[in-house]
DNA sequence: GCGGCTTGGTGACATTGTCACCGTCGCAGG
DNA sequence: CCTGCGACGGTGACAATGTCACCAAGCCGC
């Protein structure tokens, strides 16, 4: 059988052949440019998405004007959460933003329902995705409530770096990652710089001592 | 047809008759006394639970020793989250504690899977429950990250009161509700008392001016 | 160059979290 | 009855974080 986008999803590898055929037949490949809003308040996604390429950032905007990043969906993951949520609530507080150019396979809602009904493997995939998201959300609540901001910032810098030595971001964006204020990020970054862990430039942070950051991040992670 | 526990669940009202029969035939009614741990780290529930009577509090214990209440399951709700989570992760960080004597209908995992496969209504029920929990978790993240502690405490007092005029709880327990420290709760309660909104006694809080609390709670909720 | 926007820096202050310690209360065991 | 002991709550000092009001420097289109 030919290579299809299904093969990019580890959790879908064991799908029965008729299910694979249905999925391929009823899915549409869509693309969105960097910066576009995939879904958001008043813009529910009508489809379930399987992300083939790129990264989608899911963040929340509260009435107070504060933003916080909830999680990211990377290639090989799916938006089960959003699919499920649109079933019940369209005053959906979170929005999904393409952080890079994005390609995805879109599955209409009724096909999603059929797949869940017909395929045990697909059910496993869906519930596993739910589980992962929910345990991540639990962990995030714990982190936001109890973790020190310097530890979280160090951790976030390391995660955003993806192993590279510079992170292209602003203090404001880092503040949204943590759900805190820009001033707090600025002060912490100054402290990191004073310790020789990073070097700052306008719109970017260069990591000069990864081990230092890692030690802090591990300290209470 | 006879009245069964299924009728206590609004979301299950429209189940097809064969599905109802299966659910009734394969479920076991279980009871747990107040204070017992329904599930927790190293004690995964093997079954999906439909709560018939009582209240289950789900809370999280972080490594740092900090606790925080995540949500409650009341009669007429189900533990879909826990069911789904045990599929993937048994290093499940949260625990469920019976706040009152509890009765529940337990469904084995494979029956749950069958039901999801066979019944569209059951799927709707399950995904609606997921949606509700997840949007609640999103809301909670927002609250923990951005809401003032006095507003949250006022809100929590009102919620825990269930319309009664006294709340039987300790400062420590209120602190766990909010994920903060006992001292913080003590100070805020003193301020509430100074304003004439509450009267304190050892192990309980009497609400003397509900409107005052409500105004504060609404202020930014 | 000019003007406006984005980015980042800073000090003062308010809020919240942490720590150390104390006193009171209720209760079980002697 | 007395005596510990543990749970409950109060308090002050301090640290960490959030908020506000600014300001300065860089960037970019005109």
């Amino acid at each position: 059988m030919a290579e299809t986008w299904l093969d990019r999803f580890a959790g879908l590898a064991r799908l029965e052949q008729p299910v694979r055929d249905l999925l391929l037949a009823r899915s549409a490949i869509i693309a969105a440019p960097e910066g576009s809003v995939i879904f958001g308040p008043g813009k529910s996604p009508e489809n379930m998405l399987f992300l083939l390429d790129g990264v989608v950032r899911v963040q929340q905007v509260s009435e107070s004007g504060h933003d916080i990043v909830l999680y990211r969906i990377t290639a090989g993951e799916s938006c089960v959460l959003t699919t499920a949520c649109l079933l019940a609530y369209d005053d959906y507080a979170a929005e999904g933003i393409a952080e890079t150019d994005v390609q995805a396979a879109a599955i209409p809602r009724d096909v999603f329902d059929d797949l869940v009904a017909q395929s045990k493997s697909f059910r496993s995939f869906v519930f596993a995705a739910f589980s992962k998201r929910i345990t991540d959300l639990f962990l995030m609540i714990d982190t936001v409530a109890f973790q020190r901001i310097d530890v979280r910032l160090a951790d976030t810098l390391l995660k955003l770096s993806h192993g590279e030595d510079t992170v292209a971001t602003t203090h404001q964006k880092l503040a949204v990652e943590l759900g805190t204020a820009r001033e707090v990020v600025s002060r912490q970054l100054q402290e990191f710089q004073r310790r020789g862990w990073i070097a700052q430039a306008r719109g970017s942070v260069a990591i000069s001592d990864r081990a230092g950051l890692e030690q802090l991040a591990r300290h209470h992670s």
Side-chain angles (χ1 to χ4, degrees), chain A residues 12-172:
Chain A
L12 298 180
R14 311 166 109 206
L15 281 192
E16 304 85 348
Q17 192 58 43
V19 176
R20 297 174 66 93
D21 294 341
L22 175 60
L23 207 41
L24 289 172
R26 299 292 307 273
S27 65
I29 306 297
I30 62 173
E34 176 178 345
S36 56
V37 177
I38 310 287
F39 59 87
K43 191 187 175 187
S44 294
E46 307 91 34
N47 302 307
M48 179 186 187
L49 298 179
F50 289 86
L51 203 59
L52 304 179
D53 259 313
V55 179
V56 174
R57 166 168 40 91
V58 178
Q59 74 185 36
Q60 188 163 209
V61 199
S62 77
E63 334 77 39
S64 51
H66 287 119
D67 291 14
I68 185 168
V69 173
L70 295 170
Y71 56 89
R72 287 184 167 75
I73 304 154
T74 58
E77 294 184 315
S78 63
C79 299
V80 263
L81 279 204
T82 58
T83 315
C85 286
L86 71 89
L87 297 175
Y89 300 88
D90 57 355
D91 61 338
Y92 191 53
E95 59 181 8
I97 298 168
E99 277 201 316
T100 64
D101 288 350
V102 155
Q103 273 203 325
I107 317 290
R109 199 196 289 190
D110 57 336
V111 176
F112 172 77
D113 194 65
D114 281 353
L115 287 166
V116 170
Q118 289 170 23
S119 165
K120 187 170 176 60
S121 305
F122 193 77
R123 282 195 294 278
S124 298
F125 173 80
V126 168
F127 285 116
F130 266 114
S131 301
K132 175 82 175 108
R133 280 285 166 252
I134 288 164
T135 51
D136 283 355
L137 286 175
F138 282 180
L139 195 59
M140 176 162 183
I141 288 174
D142 196 86
T143 302
V144 170
F146 301 126
Q147 196 111 121
R148 291 178 53 100
I149 210 79
D150 52 357
V151 175
R152 295 174 57 204
L153 179 57
D155 190 58
T156 298
L157 281 174
L158 290 170
K159 285 211 174 99
L160 289 180
S161 75
H162 300 294
E164 305 291 317
D165 53 353
T166 72
V167 182
T169 186
T170 66
H171 294 190
Q172 179 60 51

